[in-house]
Amino acid sequence: MDTAAVKFSHIDESGTANMVDVTDKADTVREAYAEGFIKMSRQTFDMVVKQKHKKGDVIATARIAGIQGAKQCANLIPLCHPLALSKVDVDFEMQAEHSQIRIVSRCKLTGKTGVEMEALTATSVAALTLFDMCKAVDPLMEIHGIKVISKTGGKSGDWTR
Protein backbone atom coordinates (compact mmCIF):
# COMPACT_ATOMS: atom_id res chain seq x y z
CA MET A 1 0.00 0.00 0.00
CA ASP A 2 1.35 3.42 -0.96
CA THR A 3 1.02 5.33 2.31
CA ALA A 4 1.67 8.67 0.59
CA ALA A 5 -1.66 8.35 -1.23
CA VAL A 6 -3.64 7.31 1.87
CA LYS A 7 -5.51 10.02 3.74
CA PHE A 8 -6.80 9.78 7.27
CA SER A 9 -10.58 9.92 7.22
CA HIS A 10 -10.84 11.77 10.54
CA ILE A 11 -8.58 14.66 9.49
CA ASP A 12 -9.92 17.36 7.15
CA GLU A 13 -7.95 19.34 4.53
CA SER A 14 -6.70 21.81 7.13
CA GLY A 15 -5.54 19.07 9.52
CA THR A 16 -8.44 19.47 11.93
CA ALA A 17 -9.97 16.38 13.53
CA ASN A 18 -13.56 15.79 12.47
CA MET A 19 -16.26 13.14 12.59
CA VAL A 20 -16.68 11.49 9.17
CA ASP A 21 -20.01 12.26 7.49
CA VAL A 22 -21.67 8.92 6.71
CA THR A 23 -25.07 10.37 5.78
CA ASP A 24 -24.95 9.28 2.14
CA LYS A 25 -23.38 5.86 2.71
CA ALA A 26 -25.55 2.79 2.13
CA ASP A 27 -26.65 0.63 5.02
CA THR A 28 -24.94 -2.76 4.82
CA VAL A 29 -24.50 -5.67 7.21
CA ARG A 30 -21.19 -5.16 8.96
CA GLU A 31 -19.36 -7.45 11.32
CA ALA A 32 -15.96 -7.37 13.00
CA TYR A 33 -13.97 -9.71 15.20
CA ALA A 34 -11.18 -8.65 17.54
CA GLU A 35 -8.94 -10.62 19.85
CA GLY A 36 -6.63 -10.01 22.76
CA PHE A 37 -4.85 -11.98 25.45
CA ILE A 38 -4.25 -11.73 29.17
CA LYS A 39 -1.30 -13.70 30.51
CA MET A 40 -1.16 -14.54 34.20
CA SER A 41 0.53 -16.79 36.71
CA ARG A 42 -0.45 -20.46 36.74
CA GLN A 43 -2.04 -19.98 40.19
CA THR A 44 -4.24 -17.14 38.94
CA PHE A 45 -5.13 -19.01 35.75
CA ASP A 46 -6.21 -22.05 37.77
CA MET A 47 -8.31 -19.88 40.09
CA VAL A 48 -10.12 -18.39 37.11
CA VAL A 49 -10.67 -21.71 35.32
CA LYS A 50 -11.88 -23.50 38.49
CA GLN A 51 -14.00 -20.48 39.53
CA LYS A 52 -12.19 -20.36 42.88
CA HIS A 53 -11.64 -16.60 42.86
CA LYS A 54 -13.12 -14.87 45.91
CA LYS A 55 -14.75 -12.29 43.60
CA GLY A 56 -16.78 -15.02 41.90
CA ASP A 57 -17.08 -15.89 38.22
CA VAL A 58 -14.60 -13.45 36.72
CA ILE A 59 -15.24 -14.71 33.17
CA ALA A 60 -18.98 -13.97 33.37
CA THR A 61 -18.23 -10.51 34.73
CA ALA A 62 -15.65 -9.82 32.00
CA ARG A 63 -18.14 -10.97 29.32
CA ILE A 64 -20.77 -8.51 30.54
CA ALA A 65 -18.16 -5.75 30.82
CA GLY A 66 -16.99 -6.40 27.25
CA ILE A 67 -20.54 -6.18 25.92
CA GLN A 68 -21.09 -2.95 27.83
CA GLY A 69 -17.77 -1.62 26.52
CA ALA A 70 -18.81 -2.19 22.90
CA LYS A 71 -22.06 -0.33 23.57
CA GLN A 72 -20.14 2.61 25.06
CA CYS A 73 -17.50 2.90 22.33
CA ALA A 74 -18.73 6.25 20.96
CA ASN A 75 -18.56 7.71 24.49
CA LEU A 76 -14.95 6.59 24.88
CA ILE A 77 -13.43 7.23 21.43
CA PRO A 78 -14.07 10.86 20.45
CA LEU A 79 -14.78 10.56 16.71
CA CYS A 80 -16.62 7.21 16.69
CA HIS A 81 -20.24 7.25 15.60
CA PRO A 82 -22.83 6.02 18.10
CA LEU A 83 -24.04 2.72 16.65
CA ALA A 84 -27.14 0.58 17.11
CA LEU A 85 -25.34 -2.73 17.55
CA SER A 86 -27.52 -5.73 16.77
CA LYS A 87 -25.14 -8.33 18.25
CA VAL A 88 -22.14 -8.42 20.56
CA ASP A 89 -20.42 -11.65 21.62
CA VAL A 90 -17.44 -11.91 23.93
CA ASP A 91 -15.90 -15.38 24.22
CA PHE A 92 -12.95 -16.73 26.17
CA GLU A 93 -10.50 -19.48 25.27
CA MET A 94 -8.47 -20.88 28.14
CA GLN A 95 -4.90 -21.48 26.94
CA ALA A 96 -3.43 -23.53 29.79
CA GLU A 97 -0.09 -24.12 28.03
CA HIS A 98 0.59 -20.36 28.23
CA SER A 99 -1.39 -19.56 31.41
CA GLN A 100 -3.37 -17.05 29.40
CA ILE A 101 -6.88 -16.35 28.24
CA ARG A 102 -7.69 -15.42 24.65
CA ILE A 103 -10.61 -13.00 24.38
CA VAL A 104 -12.53 -12.87 21.09
CA SER A 105 -15.22 -10.27 20.51
CA ARG A 106 -17.70 -10.04 17.66
CA CYS A 107 -19.82 -6.98 16.88
CA LYS A 108 -22.49 -6.82 14.20
CA LEU A 109 -25.05 -4.38 12.81
CA THR A 110 -26.74 -3.12 9.69
CA GLY A 111 -25.50 0.41 9.23
CA LYS A 112 -23.37 3.03 7.49
CA THR A 113 -20.09 2.49 9.31
CA GLY A 114 -17.99 -0.42 10.52
CA VAL A 115 -17.83 -2.01 13.94
CA GLU A 116 -14.08 -2.62 14.29
CA MET A 117 -13.72 -0.07 17.08
CA GLU A 118 -16.60 -1.63 19.00
CA ALA A 119 -15.04 -5.10 18.72
CA LEU A 120 -11.66 -3.74 19.86
CA THR A 121 -13.33 -1.95 22.78
CA ALA A 122 -15.22 -5.08 23.82
CA THR A 123 -12.00 -7.10 23.85
CA SER A 124 -10.07 -4.38 25.68
CA VAL A 125 -12.71 -3.82 28.37
CA ALA A 126 -13.08 -7.58 28.95
CA ALA A 127 -9.29 -7.87 29.37
CA LEU A 128 -9.19 -4.85 31.69
CA THR A 129 -12.00 -6.33 33.77
CA LEU A 130 -10.12 -9.61 34.15
CA PHE A 131 -7.04 -7.62 35.19
CA ASP A 132 -9.06 -5.60 37.71
CA MET A 133 -10.68 -8.63 39.26
CA CYS A 134 -7.42 -10.61 39.54
CA LYS A 135 -4.84 -7.89 40.28
CA ALA A 136 -4.81 -8.50 44.04
CA VAL A 137 -3.72 -12.10 43.37
CA ASP A 138 -1.46 -11.36 40.39
CA PRO A 139 -0.38 -7.75 39.76
CA LEU A 140 2.10 -8.91 37.09
CA MET A 141 -0.54 -9.97 34.55
CA GLU A 142 0.00 -8.75 31.01
CA ILE A 143 -2.60 -7.73 28.42
CA HIS A 144 -1.29 -8.09 24.87
CA GLY A 145 -2.05 -8.75 21.22
CA ILE A 146 -5.25 -6.71 20.90
CA LYS A 147 -6.14 -6.48 17.21
CA VAL A 148 -8.92 -6.76 14.64
CA ILE A 149 -8.85 -10.25 13.14
CA SER A 150 -11.55 -9.83 10.49
CA LYS A 151 -14.25 -7.55 9.17
CA THR A 152 -17.05 -7.80 6.64
CA GLY A 153 -19.27 -5.28 4.92
CA GLY A 154 -18.84 -1.75 3.75
CA LYS A 155 -17.12 -0.03 0.86
CA SER A 156 -13.64 -1.32 1.66
CA GLY A 157 -14.85 -4.94 1.57
CA ASP A 158 -14.08 -8.00 3.62
CA TRP A 159 -10.71 -9.02 5.02
CA THR A 160 -9.15 -11.44 7.46
CA ARG A 161 -5.80 -11.03 9.19
Side-chain angles (χ1 to χ4, degrees):
M1 176 186 287
D2 178 14
T3 55
V6 176
K7 294 185 179 170
F8 290 110
S9 60
H10 290 80
I11 307 290
D12 69 15
E13 300 78 32
S14 66
T16 303
N18 76 95
M19 188 175 193
V20 175
D21 184 355
V22 297
T23 305
D24 296 327
K25 289 177 81 175
D27 282 342
T28 61
V29 175
R30 296 159 184 268
E31 187 172 32
Y33 288 82
E35 75 176 356
F37 301 84
I38 183 165
K39 186 167 180 51
M40 57 193 64
S41 70
R42 172 54 71 179
Q43 173 193 4
T44 306
F45 181 82
D46 289 342
M47 288 175 72
V48 171
V49 170
K50 295 174 184 171
Q51 295 187 17
K52 299 291 184 189
H53 199 289
K54 71 178 185 176
K55 291 187 177 182
D57 187 346
V58 297
I59 296 295
T61 303
R63 177 175 285 113
I64 293 167
I67 293 167
Q68 282 298 109
K71 292 165 48 176
Q72 293 299 314
C73 185
N75 292 327
L76 298 168
I77 312 296
L79 300 176
C80 282
H81 294 85
L83 302 179
L85 295 168
S86 57
K87 183 64 178 169
V88 179
D89 286 318
V90 181
D91 292 315
F92 302 86
E93 176 188 318
M94 304 303 162
Q95 297 183 338
E97 66 277 10
H98 301 293
S99 296
Q100 72 179 8
I101 301 168
R102 178 181 183 232
I103 304 156
V104 179
S105 299
R106 172 179 75 129
C107 293
K108 186 176 182 181
L109 59 62
T110 298
K112 297 175 183 297
T113 189
V115 289
E116 297 93 335
M117 293 306 301
E118 288 71 15
L120 286 166
T121 302
T123 295
S124 299
V125 171
L128 289 167
T129 300
L130 288 171
F131 191 99
D132 180 52
M133 294 186 76
C134 297
K135 69 182 182 286
V137 176
D138 186 1
L140 300 178
M141 290 176 292
E142 179 183 310
I143 296 169
H144 63 95
I146 296 172
K147 60 189 164 282
V148 176
I149 54 178
S150 69
K151 74 144 230 106
T152 60
K155 168 177 87 170
S156 60
D158 303 350
W159 63 267
T160 300
R161 181 175 293 278

